[in-house]
């Protein structure tokens, strides 16, 4: 019985030995191939650890396998001797022909390979595990201190382990030379182990008319998302028609498809998401209106879109290492552009850490961010630091709801258009003595009894104030309150009304444009003095000093009478006169073209195809460069006939710039005037992209500034001339170029440009 059992055990044992031999060969091919291959692209981060210690571990494992095979051969020999001669034929039955010889050959090969690997590792100078020396290279002065830091803190963030750090000096040096940049490359490392940045083939973008894929990506897990989806569906036909028209206009223009990530930070649970619960309770909808239109615009323009609504989705989309953001992202950013808001910006900074690459980011910013608040060092030293701002972006990366801040880019949103049938119905059904009040929250009505009493003499007043059980006491009894209305029912109410009355709050929302589009006159209060972060609590802490002259400055400045009437509500007579005038006037529905679907598609398409904040411009030399005073190269500026303005000389090659320098009109401002106002007074708009090209002595001389000296300093009103001393100042910090800056002691150099009527974001040569 013992002999039979031993025969069976030996058979299984031989099969096991054959498996060991096969495993040995596979291991050798894998480890040696991985260690000594010429190039391996796109390894995972975990391959770093394998490759670092692969040689050392392979050497040890090979020795163990060789020793194991020797032991196996000895045991086979022992078992063979245990069998008596009469049963020996049974043992042979269980042995495939030549198996023992093959096992012996494998054992010899493994032994030879172990010796060969030992020789190779000695030649390549791969150190033993844990025996790496910190290199002393003057080009990397921080290497030793960073290694010391890693010894004590490498467990502070899981991202270090993700990149192969295990507590050994070798792993520290590999990380600090290949993932970060504090130590020199290690001679014994395969320097091609990390993926290199390779540009993907450029694809052309084609307009889309079907929104089904977008609706699927948006989802409907929150009421805010459901609101956005309903808006997308309602405007789908208008987006499709606008895409067809713009496609016809842009025939011959190659449009590159971009990979775009949209991270809606204010709707994430991590930011608190205070908006979603208030969608059905009268909460602000302006942000959701704008984000719905941004998503639709990017989709219709034909770009590759990814939507993120949580920090987890953000991390997964960007491929950042897990942890607290202490480690950088290896390899290229998987997106060309990232649209987010201030909440998302903070989340990206917190969770991306060293992976945070700012030039690809576009920040949706309702009220705007001025350069003085944007530059962290300058804002801190000069009292402009707020809870927002200080991100050191190019200010054109901030994208506003209205074109009130030329230092920023105007993103906007869409107002629903009327077809011809709807226009005829409005003319037929408009009730001349009907007013709708702009105010969904009862608190907005507080203290407005006197105004409402005056209006009630002439008109029936309707409200859309949210309430749950009882009528809000702030709303007078003579007001017919409909409660909070769905968007379509609100549209029907506005199409009947003659007047849309603003109480002064909320500021700069989309509702006045919707009312004007439905044939209402918007009556709003004038603010005297204008409100700003310097004198009003609502604006305090916002990264702008912009003065708001009325509830809705855009409608006051760019639309005006007869669609918009702005008066002092503290003057009862002026208010009553305005109401009387409105009753007399007949007003047609009106939408500025920049707030149509086609206008938004046109504008955003131009931004995507032309704005590039990752590329550095090459401006003229500053005062610290002797060429500034040498007269070479010749002045690129030419004075316009019968004007003090300068243009870019047609015979001088213009540097690459968008908007193109052919649109430049350069003025010297009056003292105590911003470039926003100086350009506005000339019927133009300030263009901050031109500042680097006019920050030179040639511009001062061309404007006859009569400089007695020229210096370069950091100040958000420079370049400028001191009024009394005729000292000229260039801008030393490009992030401080500002249209908004103003100083009573300086005249500013103001780069202005023309703009398309109804599309203020674009110049005539910008498309």
């Amino acid at each position: 019985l013992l002999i039979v059992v031993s025969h069976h055990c030996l058979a299984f044992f031989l099969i096991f030995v054959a498996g060991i031999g096969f495993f040995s060969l596979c291991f050798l091919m894998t480890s040696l191939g991985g260690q000594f291959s010429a190039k391996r692209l796109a390894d995972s981060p975990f391959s770093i650890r394998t490759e670092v210690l692969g040689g050392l571990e392979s050497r040890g494992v090979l020795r163990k396998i060789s020793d194991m095979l020797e032991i196996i051969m000895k045991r086979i020999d022992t078992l063979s001797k245990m069998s008596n001669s009469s049963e020996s034929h049974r043992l042979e039955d269980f042995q495939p022909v030549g198996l023992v010889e093959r096992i012996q050959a494998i054992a010899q090969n493994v032994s030879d390979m172990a010796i060969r690997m030992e020789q190779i590792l000695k030649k390549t100078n791969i150190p033993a595990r844990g025996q790496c020396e910190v290199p002393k290279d003057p080009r990397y002065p921080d290497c030793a201190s960073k290694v010391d830091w890693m010894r004590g803190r490498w467990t502070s963030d899981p991202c270090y382990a993700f990149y192969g750090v295990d507590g050994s000096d070798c792993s520290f040096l590999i990380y600090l030379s290949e993932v970060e940049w504090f130590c020199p490359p290690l001679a014994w490392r395969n320097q091609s182990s990390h993926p290199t940045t390779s540009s993907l083939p450029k694809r052309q973008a084609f307009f889309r008319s079907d929104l089904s894929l977008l609706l699927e990506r948006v989802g409907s897990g929150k009421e805010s998302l459901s609101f956005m989806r309903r808006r997308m569906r309602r405007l789908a036909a208008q987006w499709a028609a606008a895409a067809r028209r713009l496609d016809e206009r842009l025939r011959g223009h190659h449009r590159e498809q971009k990979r775009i990530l949209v991270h809606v930070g204010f709707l994430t649970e991590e930011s608190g998401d205070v908006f979603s619960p208030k969608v059905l309770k009268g909460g602000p909808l302006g942000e959701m209106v704008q984000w719905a239109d941004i998503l639709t615009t990017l989709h219709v323009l034909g770009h590759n879109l990814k939507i993120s609504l949580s920090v987890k989705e953000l991390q997964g989309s960007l491929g950042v290492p897990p942890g607290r953001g202490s480690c950088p992202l290896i390899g290229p950013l998987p997106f060309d552009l990232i649209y987010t808001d201030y909440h998302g910006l903070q989340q990206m900074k917190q969770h991306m850490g060293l992976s945070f690459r700012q030039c690809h980011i576009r920040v949706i910013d309702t009220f705007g961010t001025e350069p003085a608040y944007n530059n962290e060092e300058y804002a801190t030293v000069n009292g402009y630091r707020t809870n927002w701002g200080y991100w050191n972006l190019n200010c054109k990366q901030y994208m506003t709801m209205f074109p009130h801040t030329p230092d920023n880019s105007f993103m906007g949103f869409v107002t629903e258009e009327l077809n011809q049938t709807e226009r005829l119905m409005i003319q037929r059904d408009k009730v001349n003595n009907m007013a709708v009040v702009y105010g969904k929250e009862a608190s907005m009505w507080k203290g407005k009894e006197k105004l409402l009493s005056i209006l009630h003499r002439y008109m029936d007043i309707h409200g859309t104030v949210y309430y749950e059980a009882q009528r809000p006491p702030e709303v007078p009894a003579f007001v017919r309150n409909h409660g909070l209305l769905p968007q379509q029912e609100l549209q029907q109410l506005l199409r009947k009304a003659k007047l849309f009355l603003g109480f002064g709050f909320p500021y700069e929302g989309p509702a006045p444009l919707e009312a004007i589009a439905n044939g209402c006159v918007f009556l709003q209060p004038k603010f005297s003095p204008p409100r700003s972060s310097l004198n009003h609590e609502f604006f305090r802490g916002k990264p702008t000093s912009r003065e708001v002259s009325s509830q809705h400055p855009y409608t006051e400045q760019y639309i005006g009478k007869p669609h918009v009437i702005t008066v002092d509500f503290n003057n009862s007579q002026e208010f009553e006169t305005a109401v009387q005038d409105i009753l007399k006037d007949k007003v047609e529905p009106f939408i500025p073209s920049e707030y149509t679907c086609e206008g938004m598609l046109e504008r955003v398409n131009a931004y995507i195809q032309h704005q590039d904040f990752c590329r550095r411009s090459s401006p003229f030399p500053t005062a610290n460069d002797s060429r500034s005073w040498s007269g070479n190269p010749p002045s690129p500026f030419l004075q316009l006939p019968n004007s003090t303005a300068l243009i870019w000389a047609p015979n001088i090659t213009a540097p690459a710039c968008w908007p193109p320098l052919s649109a430049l009109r350069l003025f010297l401002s009056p003292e105590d005037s911003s470039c926003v106002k100086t350009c506005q007074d000339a019927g133009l708009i300030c263009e901050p992209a031109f500042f680097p090209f006019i920050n030179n002595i040639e511009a001062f001389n061309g404007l006859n500034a009569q400089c007695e000296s020229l210096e370069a300093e950091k100040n958000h009103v420079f370049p400028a001339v001191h009024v009394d001393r005729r000292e000229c100042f260039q801008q030393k910090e490009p992030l401080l170029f500002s249209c908004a800056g103003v100083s009573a002691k300086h005249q500013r150099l103001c780069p202005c440009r023309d703009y398309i009527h109804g599309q203020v974001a674009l110049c005539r040569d910008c498309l």
Side-chain angles (χ1 to χ4, degrees):
L1 179 62
L2 178 63
I3 294 173
V4 173
V5 170
S6 67
H7 287 169
H8 285 285
C9 289
L10 182 60
F12 289 123
F13 194 62
L14 293 175
I15 295 171
F16 170 74
V17 169
I20 288 291
F22 179 75
F23 166 77
S24 302
L25 291 175
C26 292
F27 175 83
L28 286 172
M29 288 186 289
T30 302
S31 61
L32 290 175
Q35 181 68 27
F36 303 109
S37 61
K39 284 188 178 181
R40 288 165 56 199
L41 298 178
D43 285 351
S44 74
F46 299 101
S47 67
I48 296 172
R49 170 69 180 154
T50 303
E51 204 164 340
V52 175
L53 301 178
L56 305 176
E57 292 174 347
S58 300
R59 174 169 51 190
V61 172
L62 283 171
R63 286 172 178 165
K64 289 180 181 179
I65 292 174
S66 179
D67 294 343
M68 186 186 300
L69 288 172
E70 287 186 22
I71 293 171
I72 290 171
M73 291 306 303
K74 289 179 181 179
R75 290 183 179 178
I76 290 175
D77 186 58
T78 301
L79 287 171
S80 297
K81 291 177 181 179
M82 288 174 57
S83 301
N84 56 41
S85 59
S86 63
E87 297 291 333
S88 61
H89 66 281
R90 296 183 183 180
L91 176 62
E92 292 173 359
D93 291 341
F94 286 105
Q95 295 183 27
V97 178
L99 177 60
V100 175
E101 291 79 3
R102 291 178 188 177
I103 293 174
Q104 290 173 335
I106 290 172
Q108 185 60 47
N109 286 338
V110 170
S111 178
D112 293 342
M113 288 181 181
I115 295 170
R116 178 60 179 158
M117 177 168 283
E118 187 77 31
Q119 295 171 347
I120 293 173
L121 294 177
K122 285 180 179 179
K123 287 182 180 180
T124 54
N125 297 317
I126 297 179
R129 181 170 182 174
Q131 296 181 0
C132 294
E133 292 186 6
V134 178
K136 297 178 180 179
D137 190 328
R139 295 172 299 173
Y140 299 88
D142 298 322
C143 183
S145 63
K146 289 294 181 181
V147 170
D148 287 338
W149 187 95
M150 291 287 287
R151 285 170 180 153
R153 299 291 303 277
W154 74 273
T155 58
S156 63
D157 195 320
C159 71
Y160 296 118
F162 176 82
Y163 280 127
V165 176
D166 61 3
S168 67
D169 282 0
C170 290
S171 68
F172 296 154
L173 289 171
I174 292 164
Y175 175 85
L176 291 171
S177 63
E178 297 182 11
V179 179
E180 296 192 29
W181 51 89
F182 294 105
C183 294
L186 303 174
W188 48 273
R189 286 283 295 163
N190 180 0
Q191 299 304 318
S192 64
S193 60
H194 289 308
T196 56
T197 302
S198 58
S199 57
L200 295 174
K202 305 294 184 183
R203 293 184 177 182
Q204 186 170 353
F206 297 98
F207 284 99
R208 300 187 182 106
S209 58
D210 185 359
L211 301 186
S212 56
L213 179 60
L214 174 63
L215 293 169
E216 179 182 334
R217 288 177 174 171
V218 170
S220 56
K222 300 180 178 183
E223 188 55 44
S224 54
L225 300 179
S226 298
F227 172 87
M228 293 164 66
R229 283 165 55 94
R230 289 193 296 270
R231 178 175 176 82
M232 292 172 179
R233 285 197 189 97
R234 191 172 66 253
L235 298 179
Q238 294 189 20
W239 285 110
R244 288 192 296 271
R245 292 192 297 268
L246 185 59
D247 191 20
E248 286 294 326
R249 290 170 50 202
L250 295 179
R251 291 285 183 186
H253 289 73
H254 178 80
R255 298 190 309 108
E256 183 182 323
Q257 186 186 61
K258 303 289 186 179
R259 300 165 299 162
I260 299 177
L261 172 65
V262 179
H263 178 62
V264 190
F266 82 100
L267 290 182
T268 62
E269 295 298 331
E270 292 84 355
S271 70
D273 188 11
V274 298
F275 288 86
S276 294
K278 296 182 179 180
V279 169
L280 300 178
K281 297 183 179 181
L285 301 177
E287 287 84 356
M288 280 167 277
V289 165
Q290 187 180 34
W291 276 108
D293 293 347
I294 291 170
L295 288 168
T296 310
T297 297
L298 299 174
H299 173 81
V300 171
L301 286 173
H303 297 292
N304 189 351
L305 200 58
K306 173 75 175 177
I307 301 172
S308 165
L309 295 166
S310 70
V311 169
K312 184 177 181 180
E313 286 180 317
L314 174 67
Q315 290 178 306
S317 298
L318 294 174
V320 298
R324 301 180 181 89
S326 303
C327 307
L329 177 68
I330 295 297
L333 191 72
F335 298 99
D336 301 303
L337 293 170
I338 301 173
Y339 287 82
T340 189
D341 52 24
Y342 265 124
H343 293 284
L345 200 60
Q346 185 63 50
Q347 292 166 354
M348 292 171 69
K349 178 66 174 178
Q350 179 180 352
H351 294 278
M352 292 178 66
L354 294 175
S355 303
F356 188 56
R357 301 174 184 179
Q358 299 188 155
C359 65
H360 302 279
I361 294 172
R362 306 294 184 265
V363 183
I364 306 306
D365 176 16
T366 301
F367 293 100
T369 298
E370 293 177 359
Y373 297 82
N374 171 65
N375 184 263
E376 183 175 17
E377 178 186 3
Y378 186 81
T380 302
V381 172
N382 294 279
Y384 292 101
R385 181 69 182 253
T386 69
N387 291 332
W388 310 101
Y390 67 80
W391 286 96
N392 296 315
L393 302 178
N394 183 313
C395 274
K396 278 290 188 179
Q397 291 175 254
Y398 299 105
M399 312 193 87
T400 58
M401 186 172 278
F402 292 94
H404 44 56
T405 307
D407 289 307
N408 305 150
S409 297
F410 161 47
M411 170 58 77
F413 59 94
V414 162
T415 300
E416 191 168 348
E417 299 176 67
L418 303 174
N419 58 40
Q420 190 59 35
T421 302
E422 291 168 330
R423 283 177 170 271
L424 293 174
M425 289 177 63
I426 285 178
Q427 293 177 2
R428 184 192 66 197
D429 299 337
K430 185 68 73 173
V431 179
N432 197 50
N433 65 337
M434 177 178 170
V436 174
V437 174
Y438 182 19
K440 295 181 293 183
E441 297 181 16
S443 59
M444 299 175 185
W445 293 65
K446 191 174 182 179
K448 303 298 189 296
E449 295 84 356
K450 186 177 180 181
L451 284 177
L452 292 169
S453 297
I454 295 173
L455 181 60
H456 183 53
R457 298 175 199 162
Y458 301 92
M459 292 187 169
D460 294 329
I461 305 174
H462 295 248
T464 58
V465 183
Y466 170 78
Y467 67 96
E468 292 183 353
Q470 295 182 338
R471 178 187 176 92
E474 296 88 348
V475 180
F478 55 77
V479 174
R480 182 181 175 186
N481 185 27
H482 299 262
L484 194 64
L485 294 177
Q487 189 65 24
Q488 286 181 305
E489 292 183 33
L490 177 61
Q491 293 274 19
Q492 295 303 318
L493 190 65
L494 292 174
R495 290 178 183 183
K496 291 182 180 179
K498 179 67 177 288
L499 172 65
F500 190 61
L501 176 66
F503 281 153
F505 186 83
Y507 302 103
E508 300 178 312
L513 283 183
E514 294 174 356
I516 295 167
N518 283 286
C520 294
V521 175
F522 178 47
L523 177 59
Q524 66 169 343
K526 179 188 296 181
F527 300 147
S528 184
R531 297 176 182 178
S532 72
S533 59
L534 304 178
N535 64 9
H536 197 272
E537 189 60 33
F538 177 83
F539 295 101
R540 204 177 311 280
K542 291 181 171 55
T544 175
S545 299
R546 179 170 63 94
E547 295 185 333
V548 177
S549 58
S550 62
Q551 181 175 358
H552 209 292
Y554 172 83
T555 61
E556 179 186 7
Q557 178 183 348
Y558 289 99
I559 299 178
K561 295 181 178 179
H563 304 281
V564 181
I565 309 296
T566 306
V567 298
D568 182 4
F569 278 22
N570 293 318
N571 186 326
S572 300
Q573 184 58 51
E574 187 176 347
F575 177 81
E576 187 169 2
T577 301
V579 173
Q580 293 170 344
D581 291 341
I582 290 169
L583 287 170
K584 298 174 187 175
D585 291 336
K586 184 177 181 181
V587 179
E588 297 289 333
F590 175 75
I591 304 176
S593 59
E594 56 200 352
Y595 282 96
T596 63
C597 293
E598 185 175 354
M600 188 167 183
L601 288 170
E602 176 185 54
R603 178 172 63 253
V604 176
N605 176 70
Y607 289 153
I608 290 173
Q609 299 303 323
H610 297 292
Q611 284 184 335
D612 184 356
F613 303 114
C614 298
R615 183 183 62 199
R616 296 283 184 179
S617 60
S618 300
F620 273 68
T622 64
N624 296 326
D625 192 322
S626 60
R627 289 176 296 170
S628 297
W629 293 90
S630 66
N632 291 314
S635 173
F637 304 110
L638 184 67
Q639 188 168 353
L640 279 174
N642 304 317
S643 173
T644 59
L646 302 180
I647 63 170
W648 192 270
N651 62 328
I652 301 292
T653 302
C657 177
W658 191 86
L661 283 165
S662 59
L664 171 67
R665 299 294 182 270
L666 180 59
F667 291 87
L668 188 64
S669 78
E671 57 193 81
D672 199 19
S673 178
S674 70
C675 287
V676 174
K677 187 175 187 308
T678 298
C679 296
Q680 198 174 86
D681 290 344
L684 303 168
I685 188 168
C686 180
E687 180 48 67
F690 293 158
F691 270 116
F693 306 102
I694 59 99
N695 189 41
N696 50 65
I697 187 60
E698 291 83 1
F700 283 104
N701 290 340
L703 292 169
N704 196 26
Q706 299 178 351
C707 300
E708 295 183 4
S709 65
L710 181 66
E711 298 178 17
E713 294 184 9
K714 295 180 182 180
N715 192 306
H716 71 289
V717 301
F718 294 164
V721 186
H722 195 283
V723 174
D724 298 325
R725 299 193 295 268
R726 307 312 301 172
E727 296 172 337
C728 294
F729 295 93
Q730 290 176 284
Q731 181 58 260
K732 192 175 182 179
E733 172 51 70
L735 291 180
L736 290 175
F737 285 131
S738 172
C739 291
V742 60
S743 168
K745 298 179 180 179
H746 294 89
Q747 290 180 277
R748 302 198 55 202
L749 272 64
C750 295
C752 310
R753 64 163 171 84
D754 60 53
Y755 59 89
I756 300 172
H757 183 69
Q759 187 67 289
V760 69
L762 303 178
C763 64
R764 286 191 288 268
D765 295 333
C766 282
L767 297 178

